[in-house]
Amino acid sequence: MRIAVVTLCVGDEYTCLVSDGIRNKRAYCDRHGYAFVCERVHLADTRPIPWSKLPLIKRVLPQYDVVFFSDADVMIMNFAVKLEAFIDKLFESDKLVMVSRDFNGINTGNMFLRNDSRTMAMMDQVYEREEFTHHDWWEQAAFIHMYDTNSTFRSHVQVVRSEIFNAYEHNFKVGFFLVHFASYQGPKLREAMKLYGRISDAI
């Protein structure tokens, strides 16, 4: 099976903040033989950078059977966990996209996507929701809207608990697959990435 881990990291300042996470993802992919794609270019025209996630997924997905998109502010903590463990569940459920749900609802910071023309159409549907262009959650808000209002879209999405592959620092436990520093910025983000990177290296 062809699998890629894909992340978006635009701008020198942000790249510096999350450099430990990029190194971490590349090492994880090297360990298990996955492709690693780290996009440094803003792909969403005049929209805020997070919207670049969608054209990036559309560009990369046709080359693989499954893409695991993971935000740059994510540190993989358990290298013993292989992506196939999640992908098998995705295929068993016959869904196209697998995301997690936290206290705010669905989070698209980490998600699995199957190579399918319907998946590509779903990404287009999310991108077309221009009313969310400047929403605080950007493309995530558009994804939630589509999930809540479109039954066909919803039927292709599997939603799991955040602890499965989108844990945060407040609920992270040793043995979890990863930790996501969503909303962390500046020195707080850099220090969290460095700290958890050292822990990951030691496990």
Side-chain angles (χ1 to χ4, degrees):
M1 181 179 294
R2 300 167 302 163
I3 302 171
V5 175
V6 178
T7 194
L8 180 68
C9 189
V10 177
D12 292 341
E13 180 178 357
Y14 186 68
T15 299
C16 181
L17 295 177
V18 300
S19 59
D20 288 275
I22 300 303
R23 173 191 59 80
N24 165 268
K25 288 188 179 71
R26 182 174 285 111
Y28 174 77
C29 289
D30 289 344
R31 170 83 62 89
H32 295 293
Y34 307 136
F36 179 59
V37 178
C38 180
E39 179 58 62
R40 298 287 309 277
V41 177
H42 184 11
L43 303 173
D45 302 322
T46 59
R47 298 190 188 195
I49 290 171
W51 282 96
S52 291
K53 179 185 302 186
L54 302 177
L56 174 57
I57 289 170
K58 286 196 63 181
R59 190 189 74 198
V60 175
L61 187 55
Q63 305 171 51
Y64 300 94
D65 297 303
V66 177
V67 158
F68 175 53
F69 183 90
S70 181
D71 278 350
D73 56 358
V74 168
M75 183 72 67
I76 295 175
M77 298 301 296
N78 189 344
F79 275 41
V81 175
K82 299 184 69 174
L83 296 181
E84 285 86 347
F86 307 109
I87 293 169
D88 287 347
K89 294 179 181 179
L90 179 63
F91 275 75
E92 287 171 6
S93 67
D94 200 30
K95 304 292 186 180
L96 300 175
V97 180
M98 184 160 59
V99 295
S100 68
R101 188 191 305 275
D102 58 29
F103 48 88
N104 284 319
I106 287 175
N107 186 280
T108 58
N110 292 289
M111 57 181 174
F112 290 86
L113 306 103
R114 292 175 61 175
N115 182 355
D116 190 287
S117 60
R118 294 169 296 174
T119 310
M120 305 290 273
M122 291 170 70
M123 297 303 101
D124 286 337
Q125 288 176 308
V126 174
Y127 199 83
E128 289 166 2
R129 305 309 307 194
E130 295 183 358
E131 68 269 34
F132 297 100
T133 296
H134 297 289
H135 190 284
D136 289 344
W137 294 347
W138 304 291
E139 94 299 332
Q140 178 174 290
F143 188 101
I144 292 171
H145 173 81
M146 290 302 304
Y147 181 87
D148 288 343
T149 62
N150 187 305
S151 59
T152 301
F153 186 99
R154 184 167 58 251
S155 70
H156 296 314
V157 179
Q158 182 177 10
V159 182
V160 302
R161 302 189 327 273
S162 66
E163 292 85 355
I164 304 232
F165 59 79
N166 193 43
Y168 305 103
E169 191 171 26
H170 74 271
N171 65 350
F172 174 79
K173 296 180 181 178
V174 174
F176 281 10
F177 177 49
L178 58 75
V179 58
H180 184 187
F181 301 105
S183 79
Y184 285 26
Q185 299 178 13
K188 182 179 181 180
L189 174 58
R190 182 178 62 247
E191 293 308 311
M193 297 292 276
K194 287 186 177 298
L195 172 61
Y196 280 80
R198 289 194 292 269
I199 295 172
S200 175
D201 290 342
I203 293 176

